[in-house]
Every structure is written in structure tokens, then in C-alpha cells.
Amino acid sequence: RWQTIAMIAAGPITNLYCGIIALAFAYAFSTSGSTNPGLAYPFALFGLYGLIGFVVNFIPLRTGTNYSDGAKIFQLLSNGPWADFHCAVSVVTSSLVTPLRPRDYNIQTIQRAAQGISQGTTGMILRLWEFNHFLDAGRVQEALQALEDAERVLKASAVNIPAELYTVFVFGHAYAGRDAASARQWWDGMQAKKPTNFNVDYYRAESALHWIEGDLVQANTAWMKSNEIARKLPHAGEYEFDRTCCTLLREAIDATPGGQLSVAPSLAAAPEQSSQWSFLREIPSPPQPSPAVSE
């Protein structure tokens, strides 16, 4: 926690440091005998802005959904839910550049923060982190509960979220919940927002939706796109989780009669990723596609 406070405080302190140096130069240029007295004004202005930035950033303020550095430091010192939230943010974002995976999150910290932050985008995000943690740990029912909690917070808060976040709800309801109607509802909502980021999450959500609806041809097509993108992602914990989700969905599709896909070994999921998820094959498969759907 103190490392996080030091990191946040570094910004305003840098403003203070640069402001003092700039004012020192302004004073030197303004003294009699200076060869460049015209430089005193811009240095003085820069120094003044630096000092103002230092003071304003340390005042606890909230602007929309964002907080000033002073507010963040106060939240961390208060040892409340927002302190847990900031610590959770540091851990979650580190998974983009370290081997740390969602299953390694300190779930107690996230859940404490979620208990105190029960609305808005932040409340929803905390519960989606819970979903990722439980799914990566193989605790599917708890993952589904976290997803439903995130959905309730979102609907109660009436906040506007980007289209990219819809993919989590599509995949979660299709794979963890085996709920075709909810998955379709979230998919249609995402399409209404006209998504532009067709990444691994998008195609994985599309594949899961087609699978749970019984369209195995489209499910396999979308899965191949998602898996191909996932294989090219960096070697970090968050992206290993993406590859694991592709593995989980592949196993679910293969467990459906007629869902097996003949692909080159390079496109198949790594065996060591799928072995720990073998128990998921026992989860009931979705309804079989009708001949009309297959055609």
C-alpha cells in the first residue's frame, strides 16, 4: 500500500520540484545584469503552473468517475474499500506484464472492496474480476454468481459501458451459465453499440453464443479466429487466461456431438492447458442443432 501511495504522490511532487527549479531560473534571469531578461517570464509562468499543479492534485477531489491524487492517497490511508480497490487495481494491471493470472488474485481484497463499492462501473468491474478469478480457478458456479452480481450492479446503476465489456457477459452466460437467452440478449446489446474492436474476446463470445444456440459450424469458425488471435498474444498472465478460456470453450464444443473440429496441431490448445479442466466435460451439453440450423 505504501508503494502505491509513493507512486501516486510522485506526480504532484514532481510538479513541485519542477516548479521550484523553474522559479529559480526565473529569478536568475530577472536579476540585474542578466543577458536574457526576457526568459524570466516563461520560466516564472512554468514554475507557477507547477506549484498550482502540486497544490490542486493534493486536494481530495472527485471529477466524474475520477479522483485526484490527493483523494486516492486519502482513500489508501483510510484503509476502507477504496484502499482495497486501489490495491486490486495494481495487482490486476500487473497481470498484463507478469506471469500473475486471475486465479492468483487476492480474492479477499477484491471481495472486501466489492462489499463497500456496490454500484457504478467500479462496482461492476470488481465483480467481473471475481468472475475471472473463479473461472480461472475452475470454480464455475462461483464464477457464474459473480457474473450475475456484476449484471445486477450494472442494471441498478444504469451506467453506460463500452461494447467490449459486453463480450464478458456473452461468454459468461453462454459458457458458465449455459443460458442461451441471456447470452443472445447481451450479444444483441453489444451489436447495437456497433463494436469496432474485433479481438480475442469478441470472437470467443461469438463462438460461445453460436455453440450454446446449437450452431456448431459458426461456433467453430468464430473459435478458430479467437484461438488464432490468442496464440499471438504476449506471454503474460492475463493473456494466458485468454488462451485458457479458448481451451475451455474448445472442450465444451468438442463434447457436443458433431462439434469436433479437425484442425492442424498448431491451432489446437496446448495439452497442459486443457488437462486441468477435464472435469468440465461432465457439464451438460447444449441442445443439438436442428437440420435447418445445420444447413
Side-chain angles (χ1 to χ4, degrees):
R1 185 166 301 177
W2 284 104
Q3 291 177 340
T4 304
I5 291 175
M7 180 181 67
I8 294 173
I13 291 175
T14 300
N15 286 338
L16 174 64
Y17 182 70
C18 292
I20 292 174
I21 293 177
L23 290 176
F25 273 100
Y27 175 79
F29 285 127
S30 65
T31 56
S32 58
S34 172
T35 58
N36 296 295
L39 292 177
Y41 176 75
F43 272 98
L45 188 62
F46 181 84
L48 181 61
Y49 283 152
L51 295 181
I52 292 175
F54 166 75
V55 173
V56 171
N57 278 323
F58 265 131
I59 298 175
L61 296 172
R62 177 180 178 179
T63 56
T65 58
N66 297 317
Y67 291 88
S68 67
D69 292 332
K72 293 177 182 177
I73 292 174
F74 176 80
Q75 290 166 348
L76 284 163
L77 292 174
S78 67
N79 201 31
W82 282 99
D84 288 322
F85 171 73
H86 290 301
C87 291
V89 169
S90 298
V91 173
V92 171
T93 53
S94 72
S95 67
L96 296 170
V97 292
T98 72
L100 189 79
R101 292 178 55 137
R103 66 190 180 202
D104 302 318
Y105 294 165
N106 187 329
I107 191 60
Q108 289 78 20
T109 298
I110 295 175
Q111 289 178 329
R112 281 199 310 268
Q115 289 176 356
I117 306 173
S118 58
Q119 58 184 344
T121 304
T122 302
M124 179 201 65
I125 291 295
L126 283 165
R127 287 154 180 84
L128 291 183
W129 288 345
E130 287 187 55
F131 169 75
N132 288 347
H133 168 81
F134 289 127
L135 185 61
D136 197 25
R139 297 157 66 179
V140 181
Q141 291 305 313
E142 291 170 276
L144 178 60
Q145 181 61 55
L147 185 74
E148 292 173 347
D149 290 342
E151 189 173 13
R152 280 192 289 270
V153 169
L154 180 60
K155 291 181 177 179
S157 304
V159 295
N160 187 26
I161 62 173
E164 288 74 17
L165 278 179
Y166 279 65
T167 61
V168 182
F169 291 98
V170 176
F171 175 74
H173 279 297
Y175 177 77
R178 301 307 203 255
D179 187 344
S182 295
R184 169 56 66 178
Q185 184 179 15
W186 279 100
W187 178 264
D188 291 342
M190 178 179 66
Q191 294 303 319
K193 285 180 169 286
K194 302 186 184 304
T196 57
N197 191 6
F198 302 104
N199 56 12
V200 61
D201 300 320
Y202 178 90
Y203 289 115
R204 186 173 63 232
E206 181 183 16
S207 176
L209 174 67
H210 289 310
W211 165 69
I212 199 63
E213 290 184 337
D215 189 346
L216 300 179
V217 174
Q218 293 296 325
N220 278 321
T221 300
W223 182 87
M224 290 184 66
K225 294 178 181 178
S226 178
N227 188 60
E228 184 64 23
I229 297 172
R231 289 174 53 245
K232 297 177 181 178
L233 293 173
H235 293 288
E238 179 64 26
Y239 305 120
E240 294 299 337
F241 174 61
D242 282 326
R243 285 183 276 270
T244 293
C245 287
C246 286
T247 300
L248 295 175
L249 184 56
R250 180 72 261 155
E251 292 181 348
I253 297 173
D254 287 342
T256 306
Q260 289 78 10
L261 175 67
S262 298
V263 297
S266 61
L267 290 178
E272 61 271 16
Q273 288 182 325
S274 59
S275 60
Q276 61 177 315
W277 305 100
S278 58
F279 70 93
L280 291 171
R281 296 192 181 95
E282 300 175 2
I283 298 177
S285 302
Q288 296 301 305
S290 65
V293 173
S294 300
E295 292 173 1

